[in-house]
Amino acid sequence: MADTDNYTSSLLAPDFDLKGYVPAGLNENLYMLTKNKPENQKKREDGRVYGADVFWKFTGHDNIGELNNPSAVAATKARQCTVEMLEDGAVGCILAVPRTYGSYNGTFENINNYRRPEWNPYIRRVEEESEGVGYTYLFVFNTTNSNAGSSTLFHVKRNQDPQFSSGVTAVRRDVRYSITKDISGIYPYGPEIGGSTVQDPDTEIGSLDSNESVWRWCGSQDTAIVRFATKNNSGEWRIDIGDYMQKLAENYAWGLYRSSKPKSETPYPAWMYTDATKNKMVSSTETAIENWPDIVQTLFLTELNQFAMQIGAYIQTGFPVFTVDRMDEMWKYFAGEDWESENDIDYPPSDWSTDWDIYIKGAQRPDIYITMKSDKVDQWLENLDENKSGTTKSEISVEYRYPQYTVEGASWSEPVNYSSTYTLVEWTGDSYNNTRSTSYNSNVEMNYPLLLSEVMMGEFTDGMIDSLYPWYAQMQFRIVYGKYKSAWCGYEIGVIGSPSVPDFSLMHNVGEQVDSWQDDSTVTLHYDELPPDEENPYPTPPNPPSPSPKPTYPTPSETGASLLTTTYNMTEANVQALGRFMWTDEGWSNKLKALNFSPIENIVGIKIMPVAITGTTSIVYIGNVKTNINGDIIKNTPIYTLGEVTITGRYQNFLDYAPYTSMLLFLPFVGFVELDPQFVTNKRLKVMYSFDLITGLCNAMLFVNDVYVESHQGNCGIDIPLVASNRAELEIGLATSLAQTAIGIASAPATGGSSSTVAVKAVSSAIGDLSSYATGFHTQRQGGYSPALAWTETRECFIVVETPNAAYPLTYEHDYGKPCMATYTISQLTGFTVCDQTVDVSGIGGATEEEKDMIRQLLTSGFYA
Amino acid sequence: MQVILYNNRSDKRRLNKKIAKLATVDCMLKDSCSLLNPRLVISHAALSAFAQCNYMYIPDFNRYYFCSVSALTGDMLEITGEVDVLMSYRNGINEIRCTIVRQEKKFNKYFVDNFLPVSTIKNIQYVSVGTFSAGKGIYLTVDGGENNG
C-alpha cells in the first residue's frame, strides 16, 4: 500500500523540510497536542495535582505477546496505536512516526480501513536522504469539526523490525517540526505525561518497579497523555529531559536512563546512554548531545511498552510555529500556499521561578493582591536571543483561577461527598478549567500589586457546608508572557465559617503552599496587609534622624565608693563569727588607728541583699583590725537582668493603647508602677536591676526595644542592726521613707458609672462614643514598705494588662466600615464606604441639583462601592 | 417611549447593581410626574413577569429607577419610579476623589472607632516578665578593711 494513498489530501505540500523524526521522549514517538480531562489529572506523590491537557489520547497497543519480552522489542512485530479525540473540536495534531531502526521499508496503513476521513488527515512520508532507512510520517489532523470520542487506529507495518514503538527517540539536530502550541501553556520543562508505573533506575529490566516518583511512565496498555513545550534553539536542538530519565532498555545499543539524583545535583541537562557496546554508561552533557548525529540513527527503545516521561523536552521545529488560533495558516503552509507568518518563535524561559506574595485585605469580602518577582523572567525579558518577539513587561499578565473547594474537618472521618463548586469570583465553570484573566492584563509591571477583582462571597451555588468545619479556598495563578504561560502556582487558604459568610480573618490554617510544578517558585500569604508598593494613603513627614546612639545596657562598674571602705560578701556563719569577734577583747584600743577608735563605728553597715555576688576571698578587716574571718571583697555595683517579654497587642488596633488598655507593672522590691501601653505594646520590654550594696537601694531599669525608658527605685536591703542606737536610726529612716513614699495607682472613674465599670456602648445607631471610655486600675498601695516586708512579696515581675472586650460582629466591616480618613478615588474602593461631608459632587454631569443632593446624601451616609 | 425593565437584586445603596433584564417595552408617561419620579403605563401583556420587576431604565431619561408595579386595569400596569442616582451616575461617582471617612477594606486600624461596641467586662491578663532569682547575700561594709588593714 502506498502509505499515503488512503490519506492523501489536497493539502499535500510538495516539499518541506521535515526530516528526521519525532522529538524525543514521548509516547510511541508520537507527539501531539493534548489536553487532559480533569478526571485524568494525576496526583503526584508529593501531593501536587497536575494534569496534562490532552486533546488526544494516544494508546499504544501491544498486539503481540512477544512485546513483553524485552529482547523481542526489536523483533519484527507490527505495532499499533489508537488515536482518540478527547474533546470536541480538538485542534489538529501532528503525529510523527519515528524513523525505523535498521534497514527496512515500513508502511503505514490503516487497519481494516478504520479511518476517520472527517479528520482530514494530512499524511506525508518523508524519506531520509542520508540514512535511507525507513520513513518518517507526518500526520496532521484537522479535526475542528469532529466530535470527541472518535478515534482511529494506525498501524505500522514493516518488512522487518517494527519500530513504531514506544519510548524515547533521538531527535536529530536538524529536525524541525511544526507544531501548534499553546494548549494549556508552554512548559519549560516540556511535556508531562501521565501514566502508570515508573521505574527505578536500579531495577532490572523486565521487573519494573511501580515506585512512584516524579516520573511516571506513560502507560503501556494505558494511555499516554502528554503535552508539550517547544523551544527553538537557533539550530541547536536541545533535549532537556529534566531531572530524571527513565531507564528504558538495557539490552539495546542505545538506551535512555534516568538519573536518580535530585535536580540540584544533576547537571542540566543530563542523561545517560549506553554506547554501542552496550557495556558502558555514558553521562551526557550538552556537549555530548551535540554528538548525537552519530547516534540519532538509533532508535531508543523502551521495553514493555513503557513510555518514558520527560519533564523537560524541548522540541525544535523547523516549521513555523502555529498557535491554535492559526490552524488555517498552518494548513496553508503545508499546502504550499501563501500563508501569514508570525514573528520569530520565542524561546520560553527555561525557568519561570517566581516569588509570589498574596495579600488578603478584609475579612468577609477581601481584596486580594498578588505581587510577583522573578529574576529569571526578568532575565528572559532582557535576552532578545530568546525573547525574540520582544515581549515586554507591559505584556505580562496574570491569570488566576479557583478550582472547586475541598472541605475538610478534623472530626470528619469520611470523605465529604462534596460536589458543589464554589467560586470566589462571579464566574463559574469546571474546576481547573475556570481561568479568568484579570482586567489588568495590560500594563501590569512586575513587582507591582495586581489587584484582583473583589472576592464576592455569598454568591454560592447549592450545597452549603457545615459552618463548623473549615474549608479551603485554593487560589492558583500563573503569569502570561506574550505567547507563553508559566505553570500554575497555587496557594490554599483555609477559611472557617459558612461559605455564605466566610471570614478570612479566622483562617485557621494558611494552607499549604502549592509550588509551581516545575520550578522554584514560592508563594507567601500575608493576611490583613497591603502590598508594600500599595499607595500609602497617609503620607507623613519622614522621621527626624536619630540624634545619637541609643543608650546601652548598664554594666557592673566600680563606683569608687570603696576607696576608703571595703564591702565583703559574708556567709551567715561568718557574720555570726564577726559578731562574736566584736565582743572579744582584741585590744581594740591598741589596734584601731587614728580614724576611728570605736569598732562599731568602723562598720558602715551590714545588709541582706537579694543578690548574690562573689568576689575575691579575703580576710575581713574592720578598720585596720584583722578579724581572721573570711569574706568576698565586692567592688562593682551588681547588675541583674530579671527578664524580658514581648507584649503583643490583643487587638492589634487602637484598643491596645490608652485609654482603652491599661498596664500595671509589678517590680519586686519596688511595687506597682504604671506602664504606658504606648511604650510597650508590640515592643519588647526588658527589666534589669542594679544594687547599691551600701545603701541597700535597688534601681529597676526598664528597656523597651533596647532603649532605656524608665527607672524605679526601691529599698531591698535589710539592715542587720548592730547596736540599739543603730536600730533606732533604722526605724527613723524607715518612718521617713514611709512618709515620703506613696505608691499607688489612682483609678479614674469612668463617666457615668461606678469605679468598676465603664460606659456601655450601644450597638444601634446610638452607638456610644469611645472617647468617653476611660479606664484605670483600681489596685492601689499607699506608702512604701520596709525592705523586710518587700522580701515577703512575690519575686515575680509581671504586668497586669487590662483590655476592653470589644465585640466585632462578623459583618461589622461590611455594615459599618472602619475609620479610614484618607483620600481615595471611589473607583479604587470596594465595599461599604462613607465619604466625608465635604465630598464634591459637582463633577457629575447631567445630574440635577436635587440629584446631586441625593448623591451627596448617599455618599456621606454610606453606600457600597 | 421605551423602558427597560429589570429585576434588581442589589441593595439600594450599592453603586453597581446586579440587575437582570426582564423586558424592553413601550410605555407611556403619565401626566404629573417628574424626571426623578416618573410614572409609566405599560401594557400588562408586555410584561408577563411584572411581579419580578422592581427596577427600570428609561433611555430617554438616561436614568435608572427603583420602581413598583401596580395594576391600573386588568390590562394596563402602572410603574412608579424613583430615581436611583447611584446607578444612574455611577461613572461620575467613580471618578470622585474625596476623603473617605469609613471604609470596609481600606482603613487604619489604629484610628479610634467610636462605633465599636465594647463590653463592661474587661479582660485581665497577667504577663510574666521574669522571676527575681538573684539569690541572697549578706554584705558587710567597713571602714578601711582591705585597703587600710
Side-chain angles (χ1 to χ4, degrees), chain B residues 6-122:
Chain B
Y6 295 95
N7 173 260
N8 171 41
R9 296 183 298 148
S10 299
D11 188 279
K12 290 185 65 172
R13 297 168 293 171
R14 185 165 288 278
L15 189 60
N16 291 290
K17 294 184 172 56
K18 295 178 184 174
I19 52 179
K21 184 177 178 180
L22 297 176
T24 302
V25 300
D26 293 326
C27 66
M28 294 182 60
L29 199 63
K30 286 196 74 174
D31 295 337
S32 304
C33 65
S34 66
L35 189 66
L36 305 186
N37 298 97
R39 288 190 299 162
L40 313 175
V41 177
I42 65 173
S43 166
H44 186 294
L47 180 57
S48 58
F50 74 92
Q52 299 179 40
C53 175
N54 60 1
Y55 204 74
M56 66 180 178
Y57 176 72
I58 301 178
D60 289 349
F61 294 172
N62 195 27
R63 283 171 172 78
Y64 288 89
Y65 300 88
F66 302 105
C67 63
S68 59
V69 178
S70 59
L72 280 178
T73 66
D75 187 46
M76 302 301 288
L77 296 174
E78 176 176 321
I79 302 178
T80 304
E82 177 187 346
V83 67
D84 178 5
V85 291
L86 289 181
M87 188 69 167
S88 299
Y89 300 103
R90 61 187 183 280
N91 291 334
I93 293 172
N94 271 322
E95 295 178 2
I96 292 176
R97 188 169 176 83
C98 63
T99 300
I100 304 300
V101 176
R102 300 184 71 89
Q103 223 285 319
E104 180 173 339
K105 296 172 187 176
K106 296 188 189 298
F107 49 81
N108 189 319
K109 56 186 179 180
Y110 293 103
F111 285 178
V112 175
D113 186 355
N114 291 328
F115 280 51
L116 186 64
V118 291
S119 168
T120 56
I121 299 174
K122 298 179 188 177

Side-chain angles (χ1 to χ4, degrees), chain A residues 414-487:
Chain A
E414 297 179 356
V416 179
N417 182 18
Y418 177 66
S419 59
S420 298
T421 298
Y422 293 89
T423 57
L424 289 178
V425 292
E426 294 185 61
W427 46 270
T428 59
D430 296 332
S431 58
Y432 286 104
N433 288 327
N434 234 347
T435 305
R436 177 185 180 187
S437 297
T438 72
S439 59
Y440 305 90
N441 279 352
S442 60
N443 301 319
V444 174
E445 296 186 18
M446 293 284 278
N447 301 328
Y448 282 84
L450 170 65
L451 174 62
L452 301 182
S453 59
E454 176 188 5
V455 178
M456 297 293 294
M457 309 303 284
E459 301 290 339
F460 291 104
T461 58
D462 61 328
M464 294 299 294
I465 307 171
D466 190 320
S467 60
L468 292 177
Y469 299 105
W471 51 279
Y472 297 90
Q474 187 181 82
M475 301 170 53
Q476 288 191 335
F477 42 87
R478 63 183 177 185
I479 45 180
V480 181
Y481 300 87
K483 294 175 284 189
Y484 297 98
K485 300 178 183 179
S486 73

Side-chain angles (χ1 to χ4, degrees), chain A residues 133-425:
Chain A
V133 288
Y135 301 100
T136 299
Y137 296 90
L138 172 66
F139 301 86
V140 180
F141 301 100
N142 184 4
T143 60
T144 308
N145 297 321
S146 298
N147 296 323
S150 57
S151 63
T152 190
L153 184 67
F154 289 92
H155 176 79
V156 175
K157 183 177 180 180
R158 293 181 61 251
N159 294 336
Q160 297 182 23
D161 299 336
Q163 295 306 322
F164 177 55
S165 64
S166 59
V168 177
T169 62
V171 175
R172 290 168 57 102
R173 297 183 62 187
D174 58 348
V175 170
R176 291 175 177 263
Y177 302 88
S178 176
I179 178 174
T180 59
K181 59 176 182 173
D182 183 21
I183 341 170
S184 62
I186 307 300
Y187 295 86
Y189 292 101
E192 187 170 335
I193 301 175
S196 55
T197 60
V198 296
Q199 182 190 4
D200 184 276
D202 297 325
T203 303
E204 292 291 333
I205 294 297
S207 58
L208 292 179
D209 186 2
S210 61
N211 180 37
E212 298 290 322
S213 74
V214 174
W215 280 70
R216 287 182 178 274
W217 285 109
C218 294
S220 56
Q221 309 298 333
D222 300 329
T223 59
I225 303 171
V226 300
R227 58 183 170 183
F228 279 78
T230 62
K231 180 177 175 67
N232 188 346
N233 202 15
S234 298
E236 297 288 334
W237 71 262
R238 175 181 178 184
I239 296 178
D240 170 14
I241 56 177
D243 309 326
Y244 300 98
M245 301 164 286
Q246 194 66 46
K247 187 175 184 182
L248 298 177
E250 189 174 331
N251 299 327
Y252 304 103
W254 309 102
L256 197 63
Y257 292 84
R258 177 177 75 172
S259 169
S260 60
K261 293 183 179 180
K263 178 181 180 180
S264 59
E265 301 177 23
T266 303
Y268 176 88
W271 53 346
M272 297 183 289
Y273 54 91
T274 60
D275 62 2
T277 64
K278 310 178 193 178
N279 296 322
K280 179 181 177 182
M281 298 289 286
V282 178
S283 176
S284 74
T285 60
E286 284 189 325
T287 303
I289 291 176
E290 293 175 357
N291 297 325
W292 266 76
D294 297 332
I295 58 176
V296 296
Q297 307 291 330
T298 304
L299 182 66
F300 274 46
L301 305 176
T302 65
E303 35 84 48
L304 301 181
N305 305 320
Q306 300 297 322
F307 309 142
M309 180 179 103
Q310 294 183 348
I311 295 180
Y314 288 89
I315 304 167
Q316 266 197 315
T317 69
F319 294 151
V321 179
F322 299 97
T323 56
V324 170
D325 59 350
R326 298 186 69 248
M327 288 297 296
D328 289 343
E329 298 304 321
M330 189 189 87
W331 293 115
K332 291 178 183 177
Y333 176 84
F334 284 145
E337 300 173 1
D338 290 335
W339 61 280
E340 183 179 351
S341 65
E342 278 188 322
N343 294 330
D344 288 344
I345 301 168
D346 283 343
Y347 303 98
S350 60
D351 190 344
W352 296 88
S353 297
T354 302
D355 295 325
W356 301 87
D357 285 88
I358 306 174
Y359 297 84
I360 297 182
K361 183 69 174 177
Q364 283 76 49
R365 290 173 174 76
D367 283 335
I368 301 176
Y369 297 80
I370 291 181
T371 63
M372 52 193 179
K373 184 179 184 302
S374 174
D375 293 337
K376 298 291 184 182
V377 175
D378 280 345
Q379 294 169 9
W380 179 80
L381 289 171
E382 296 175 1
N383 183 357
L384 297 181
D385 289 334
E386 292 191 341
N387 180 16
K388 287 184 177 296
S389 63
T391 299
T392 63
K393 282 187 179 181
S394 63
E395 297 174 68
I396 298 170
S397 64
V398 172
E399 292 183 345
Y400 64 95
R401 64 183 184 184
Y402 296 90
Q404 70 177 46
Y405 303 160
T406 58
V407 177
E408 295 181 5
S411 62
W412 290 45
S413 59
E414 297 179 356
V416 179
N417 182 18
Y418 177 66
S419 59
S420 298
T421 298
Y422 293 89
T423 57
L424 289 178
V425 292

Side-chain angles (χ1 to χ4, degrees), chain A residues 813-822 824 826 829-839 855-865, chain B residues 13 98-106 115:
Chain A
E813 290 160 358
H814 184 67
D815 297 336
Y816 301 101
K818 287 184 174 179
C820 176
M821 297 308 296
Y824 283 101
I826 290 180
L829 306 173
T830 55
F832 184 75
T833 305
V834 178
C835 299
D836 187 75
Q837 299 288 337
T838 58
V839 61
I855 292 172
R856 187 180 299 107
Q857 193 276 331
L858 285 167
L859 296 185
T860 56
S861 63
F863 70 104
Y864 292 95
Chain B
R13 297 168 293 171
C98 63
T99 300
I100 304 300
V101 176
R102 300 184 71 89
Q103 223 285 319
E104 180 173 339
K105 296 172 187 176
K106 296 188 189 298
F115 280 51

